[in-house]
Amino acid sequence: MDESESKLFGFLEKYLMGPMGKVATWRFVRAIMAAGMAAIPLVIVGSMFLVVNVLPETFTFLEGFFEATFFRFQDLYMLANQTTIGLLALYFCFTIGYEYTSIFAEEEEIDLSPLNGALLSIFAFFMTVPQLIWQNGEMSLVNTINDDAATIGGWEVTGDGISRLDATGVFTAIIMSIIAVQLYRLCVKRNWIIKMPEQVPTGVSRSFTALIPAFVIAFAVLILNGVLVLMGTDIFELIQIPFGFVTNLTGSWLGMLVITFLVHILWIVGIHGSTIVGGMLAPIWLNNMQANINGANLPYAGEFQTAYILLGGAGATLGLCIFMAFLAKSKQLSVLGKTALVPSFFNINEPILFGLPVIYNPFMAIPFFLAPMVSASIGYWAIKLGFVSPIVAMMPWPTPPGLGAFISSGDYMAIVVALICLIAASAIWYPFFRMYDQKLLAQEAGEDALI
């Protein structure tokens, strides 16, 4: 690595890796990332049942068979979907409350109960869900009934379940969890708690410890609710203003390219960009997926990255791995390619990233950035222009390319689009592979001559 390249990586470490690494250490960000990871198994399970409903829309010849079989039990098996994706905000709220409290308890050595933190978070969140209105000098719960939904006692219910508890409520759940845990922490630090004698069992003692914090949280949330309702809005609508901007950013082609670039520029300096960026944006991608389920056409939703961008892992390196395994003339690339081939089909490419290496390798930086951005663009416009259905289901990230895109959308054309993305990414990698292979081959020949 020459001096200019060393300066470039030094610049990235100072002005990108440092700030992004610092953001990733923030306590509430770590709690949100933990919640996103914890929710993935539930979302995948719920998505698989949704795929059953989507299949006849793609394979129309199956409609009669599904009507006579699966759809007769639709209300039964879709409970698995309604109680996972349909309650996603609830799962986020509980997990963030638990993890955020655990972090404070461990790092500040405060006697906080993670379970209390989780329950107080749900308590705070649930107080914001019912819809209120100020009318004729009176504040009352909304009661309306129409063809699409019914709001009874402020709780809006649709055919898919209780509104505001699905992915659309995740942002509110995040904010209310943070507020609840911070108030709980404040009460304990200021000793605004009821202390029980040492002879009282720990579980009973901790429940009384949460009593005064629960009152504090209740009054805080009720005042917040009241003020917002008097202003003609509520916390859900208010939060949609800033988060709506970020959501719109992920819905644009330029925004998607920026996110993809950030993921890979972190990887190139040794930081797991997929975990950091993906963990922070998971609520938005899940919210976009919920919107697609409800009829939207947002490309950047769910596991879009795994379906169309990260084919073979970060950098879309599956094609590179195939070239190394079967076309490489240098021993190093040939052996590494054969070793990494099977994992690459399941989107695990750490052997290539660290073994080639791609990390801190300026020669590989251009295709590492360019290949995923090109495949992302192909996937984005294929969905945006209606050539393939948007993502409505989560898939396990190790699902092989093509199959994962099909599972996510239920559209067989997704397989074709994913393969086109793979071919385009591979075409970008090929000339760099050839040049690097020749370079290593010359080095190996020189070493053999010396021997």
Side-chain angles (χ1 to χ4, degrees):
M1 190 182 297
D2 60 30
E3 185 177 351
S4 62
E5 291 167 347
S6 179
K7 288 181 179 179
L8 173 61
F9 281 99
F11 175 85
L12 293 177
E13 286 184 346
K14 182 177 181 180
Y15 294 103
L16 183 68
M17 186 174 74
M20 290 298 291
K22 186 176 181 179
V23 169
T25 64
W26 291 351
R27 289 165 175 165
F28 75 89
V29 171
R30 286 153 56 193
I32 294 171
M33 291 170 63
M37 296 299 104
I40 286 176
L42 297 173
V43 176
I44 290 174
V45 170
S47 296
M48 293 304 100
F49 288 91
L50 180 63
V51 169
V52 175
N53 277 14
V54 174
L55 283 176
E57 297 179 12
T58 301
F59 302 102
T60 54
F61 62 88
L62 293 175
E63 288 181 359
F65 173 73
F66 272 64
E67 289 287 350
T69 55
F70 292 106
F71 289 166
R72 290 178 179 269
F73 302 94
Q74 178 174 273
D75 286 348
L76 173 64
Y77 67 73
M78 283 302 289
L79 288 175
N81 179 269
Q82 293 173 10
T83 54
T84 51
I85 297 175
L87 296 177
L88 194 61
L90 182 59
Y91 297 125
F92 260 81
C93 186
F94 183 90
T95 309
I96 291 172
Y98 189 95
E99 292 290 339
Y100 200 32
T101 306
S102 297
I103 291 170
F104 279 120
E106 180 180 346
E107 296 182 0
E108 295 188 355
E109 297 183 351
I110 307 175
D111 187 19
L112 299 174
S113 166
L115 182 58
N116 282 347
L119 293 176
L120 290 171
S121 297
I122 292 177
F123 172 51
F125 174 59
F126 271 166
M127 281 195 291
T128 66
V129 175
Q131 300 177 37
L132 290 157
I133 188 172
W134 176 257
Q135 195 171 31
N136 301 323
E138 181 181 1
M139 192 172 294
S140 58
L141 293 165
V142 175
N143 288 280
T144 60
I145 298 177
N146 54 48
D147 294 337
D148 299 324
T151 305
I152 309 297
W155 296 80
E156 184 182 63
V157 181
T158 68
D160 296 323
I162 300 175
S163 298
R164 296 187 165 188
L165 295 185
D166 57 13
T168 59
V170 166
F171 300 129
T172 304
I174 291 171
I175 299 300
M176 299 316 298
S177 298
I178 293 172
I179 292 174
V181 172
Q182 287 286 8
L183 289 175
Y184 176 36
R185 168 175 168 259
L186 174 66
C187 289
V188 174
K189 288 190 72 172
R190 297 290 179 89
N191 209 27
W192 299 343
I193 56 176
I194 298 175
K195 288 187 176 181
M196 303 296 289
E198 293 182 1
Q199 294 82 2
V200 176
T202 303
V204 176
S205 177
R206 284 184 174 175
S207 66
F208 277 91
T209 301
L211 186 58
I212 292 177
F215 272 110
V216 172
I217 291 168
F219 283 119
V221 177
L222 291 175
I223 292 170
L224 175 63
N225 268 354
V227 171
L228 292 176
V229 172
L230 288 174
M231 295 172 61
T233 184
D234 62 23
I235 188 69
F236 278 83
E237 295 179 1
L238 188 67
I239 285 176
Q240 285 303 317
I241 297 173
F243 281 101
F245 170 77
V246 180
T247 301
N248 290 335
L249 180 65
T250 64
S252 70
W253 176 57
L254 180 60
M256 179 203 61
L257 290 183
V258 170
I259 293 169
T260 304
F261 181 74
L262 280 176
V263 169
H264 288 83
I265 204 168
L266 287 171
W267 263 118
I268 205 71
V269 291
I271 295 179
H272 201 303
S274 301
T275 297
I276 292 178
V277 177
M280 290 188 286
L281 295 180
I284 295 175
W285 293 335
L286 292 171
N287 186 56
N288 287 351
M289 189 178 76
Q290 181 68 47
N292 287 341
I293 293 172
N294 295 331
N297 188 48
L298 300 175
Y300 214 38
E303 284 286 353
F304 177 84
Q305 288 202 82
T306 306
Y308 299 108
I309 304 178
L310 308 181
L311 304 173
T317 57
L318 179 57
L320 170 64
C321 189
I322 293 172
F323 297 149
M324 290 166 56
F326 299 106
L327 300 179
K329 295 180 180 179
S330 66
K331 294 178 182 179
Q332 178 180 332
L333 291 190
S334 179
V335 172
L336 180 59
K338 290 180 174 63
T339 303
L341 186 59
V342 173
S344 287
F345 274 101
F346 296 94
N347 302 317
I348 301 169
N349 68 340
E350 277 77 2
I352 291 179
L353 295 182
F354 296 99
L356 189 60
V358 173
I359 306 300
Y360 284 103
N361 187 340
F363 190 86
M364 292 295 179
I366 293 176
F368 188 70
F369 294 144
L370 189 58
M373 294 178 77
V374 169
S375 60
S377 299
I378 294 171
Y380 177 91
W381 289 111
I383 294 174
K384 197 72 174 178
L385 298 176
F387 292 113
V388 65
S389 300
I391 289 174
V392 294
M394 288 287 284
M395 61 169 175
W397 64 266
T399 308
L403 180 59
F406 170 70
I407 293 174
S408 296
S409 63
D411 188 347
Y412 69 89
M413 281 300 297
I415 300 174
V416 177
V417 174
L419 292 178
I420 293 173
C421 292
L422 176 59
I423 292 170
S426 301
I428 292 170
W429 274 109
Y430 184 75
F432 292 89
F433 154 74
R434 295 302 300 176
M435 288 186 286
Y436 200 64
D437 187 40
Q438 291 297 323
K439 176 183 176 182
L440 293 179
L441 185 64
Q443 290 178 355
E444 291 172 359
E447 293 173 358
D448 290 342
L450 290 175
I451 294 174

